[in-house]
Amino acid sequence: MSAVVRTLGGMEGNEGKPVRGAEADAEAWQRLSAYSYLSAPERLEYVAVMRVFCGTLLADLSVPDLLAKLAEKGGPGAALDAETLTRRLEELVRWGNLLRSTHTVRATSIAEYQRSRSRYQLSKLGERVQRDADEVLAGADAAREVSSELLALVDRGLREIAAMAAAPGGADPQQALERISTLFVQFAEFAESVRDFYAYLGQVLARYDLDSAEYQGFKELLLDYVEAITEDVSFRAPRIAAHLDAVRPHLPALLDRVDAHAAGIGALAHGLTETRVQRSRGRDLADWEGLRDWFTDTGGHGSQVDQLRDATLRALESLLANAKRMLRSASGEMSRRKDLLRLAAWFDAAEPEEAHDLAVAAFGLYGARHLGVAPDPDRSVPAYVSWWTGPVVDVPVALRERGSRAPRGRAAAAEDHSEQKRRLMERARQQAEARQAAADELRSASGRFEQVRLSAPAMRLLLELLTTALGNAQLHKDAHDFLLDGAQAHDADLDIRLTAWRTPGRSTVLRSVDGDLTADDLTVAVESASAPAVGEASA
C-alpha cells in the first residue's frame, strides 16, 4: 500500500521517497521565506536587528549583546525588550535569515548562563537579502550613472586575453586568471549600471504630469547623456564581438590551464558532493557565452546592444509624447493628474456637506439640470421647469462616449487643387476667346443679318445682348403707334453694343446653324461699343 507523504518542508514522496521536483519547490520556498521579514508589520525592527548582524563579520551575538548594540544605534530597535527581541530572533531563524550558534557558552552563574545560552549568527542567505534590501533603500529612486568608461576597459581586456591565448605555448595561467577576473568584474559593473539607469529612465518617462522644468531636464538628459551612451556602446560592440570570436576557440584549453593552476574553492566540488560551489565569474564557459550574447545576436532574439538601441528609441518616443502633451496644453488638454489627485485627497478627508461644496466648487454642478452642455440659446426655459419634462439637450457623440470634445486622429492633409485650377483657367480662357470671336463675327455681320448664317456662339451672344436690350427698353405710345426707347445693351470687355428699335411693317430674320429667328416690327444693329450709337434715322 502506497501513500503520498507531505513533509513540513513541502516535499511530497511515495512511501517516504522524496520526489526531485518537490525538493526543488521546497528549496525555492525556503529561500523566498528569507524575504518574509521585509513585509512583516514589524519590518523596521527586523531590519534594525539584521543590520547589527551585517555590521560585523562572523557575528555571534546573544540577546544581551543585541540589546546593547540596538540601544547604542537608536531607532526602532532601541525600544525592544529581551522577550520581544527573542521572539524576533526566533522568527528570523525560522525564515532562514539567522542560525543558532554552536559556540560553547562560558558562564560564571546560572543567571549569566540563561542570558547567554541562546546565541545567533548570520546565514549566507540572510546576509545577501539584507544587503540587497539596504541597497534598494539607499538608492532605489536615484538616477545611477552609467559606467561607460568600463566598456573601454572590457575592450582592452578582451584584446589582451585573445593575444595571450593565441601566443605560442599558451597563456600564463596567473596572468590569464587576473585578466579574466578583472574583465568580468568590469563588465558586471557596466551591465548593472546600464540596467539601473534605463529602469529609472522608464519610470520617469512613464509619467504624464511632467511640468516644463522637469521636461527640459529630461530632454537634455536624453539628447545628451543617453545619446552618448548609445554611441559609445555602438562603437565598442563590434570590436568586443570580434575579440570574443577570436578567443572563443581557445577558451576550453585556457580555462583548463587556469583551473590546473588555481582550482580555488572549486576543488570542494569534487571532494564534497553535497556542497554547491559558486565559482567566480569567467571560470566557466557559460559565463563567456553570456558575455557573447550581450554583444552578439546568437539565438535570433537580439543582443543586449540591440535592446539598448530599442530602449533609447522608446525613451525618445515617450519624450515626444510628453512634448505633444505640453503643446496641447494651450488648448486646455494638458494632464490634470496632480490636480485630480489633490482633489481626491480633499474629498477623502471631507465631511459629507463639505464634499458637496467641493463638488460644486470643482465641477460647477449646482443642480441636476446643469449637465455641462449649453442648451439652445434660441429656446428659453424657465427655471421652474423640471428637467424630467424639459427639453432634451443634444450631447455630441464624442463628449458622450469619450468625455472630450477634442477631435481624434490626424488632421487630413490639404488637398492639392492646382490641376483643377489649371483646367478651370484653361476653360475660362477658351470661353473668353470664343466670346471674343463671336463678338467679332456679329460686328462684321451687322446690317446684313438676312444674308449671312451666324455660328452657334455668335447667335447665343446676339440673343443674350438682345434680351438685355429689350429688358432695358421703355415702351411708350405716340399719336400713331408704340415705340421703344433705350433698347440698348453693351459689353465693354468684348467692345460690342447692340441697339434695337421698333420698325412697324419690317421683319428682321436672324439666321444661324441652329435655326432661324424672325423678329417682327424690329430692327437690330450691332457696332463697336466705342462708336457713336446708331439712331433710328440711320436705320
Side-chain angles (χ1 to χ4, degrees), residues 8 24 44 107 117-118 121 146 150 155 195 204 266 271 277 295 308 404 436 539:
L8 293 177
L44 295 180
R117 63 179 177 175
S118 298
Q121 65 183 24
V146 176
L150 296 178
D155 183 11
R195 288 193 299 268
V204 171
V277 176
F295 294 96
L308 188 66
S404 173
Q436 186 63 50

Side-chain angles (χ1 to χ4, degrees), residues 92-158:
L92 290 171
V93 170
R94 185 172 65 86
W95 289 327
N97 303 93
L98 296 180
L99 301 173
R100 286 189 176 87
S101 177
T102 58
H103 290 184
T104 303
V105 176
R106 294 181 180 181
T108 58
S109 64
I110 295 177
E112 184 179 353
Y113 172 76
Q114 290 178 342
R115 290 195 303 268
S116 304
R117 63 179 177 175
S118 298
R119 303 183 68 85
Y120 304 87
Q121 65 183 24
L122 191 66
S123 68
K124 178 181 180 297
L125 182 60
E127 189 274 336
R128 182 69 174 270
V129 171
Q130 182 58 38
R131 185 179 59 190
D132 293 343
D134 285 333
E135 185 177 353
V136 170
L137 293 174
D141 297 331
R144 181 175 179 179
E145 186 175 5
V146 176
S147 304
S148 57
E149 68 278 357
L150 296 178
L151 200 60
L153 298 178
V154 171
D155 183 11
R156 185 190 309 168
L158 278 172

Side-chain angles (χ1 to χ4, degrees), residues 338-352 354-359 361-362:
K338 289 183 178 179
D339 300 334
L340 292 176
L341 288 176
R342 186 183 302 110
L343 181 62
W346 291 346
F347 273 115
D348 184 61
E351 296 295 332
E354 296 177 350
H356 289 301
D357 296 337
L358 279 175

Side-chain angles (χ1 to χ4, degrees), residues 436 439-440 443 488-499 525-534:
Q436 186 63 50
D440 296 340
R443 285 195 298 269
Q488 193 176 84
H490 69 279
D491 191 325
D493 295 334
L494 300 177
D495 191 23
I496 188 172
R497 180 173 58 232
L498 181 143
T499 306
V526 178
E527 65 275 343
S528 175
S530 58
V534 177

Side-chain angles (χ1 to χ4, degrees), residues 29 74-75 83 90 112 117 125-126 134 147 178 300 304 324 418 453 463 492 525:
W29 177 265
E83 183 178 356
E90 291 299 322
E112 184 179 353
R117 63 179 177 175
L125 182 60
D134 285 333
S147 304
E178 293 174 358
Q304 293 293 324
K324 292 179 181 178
S418 57
R453 186 171 295 277
L463 293 178

Side-chain angles (χ1 to χ4, degrees), residues 278-299:
Q278 183 178 0
R279 308 193 71 188
S280 60
R281 294 177 180 174
R283 301 291 295 270
D284 293 326
L285 286 174
D287 299 333
W288 288 88
E289 290 299 326
L291 178 61
R292 185 166 175 262
D293 291 342
W294 211 96
F295 294 96
T296 307
D297 183 7
T298 57

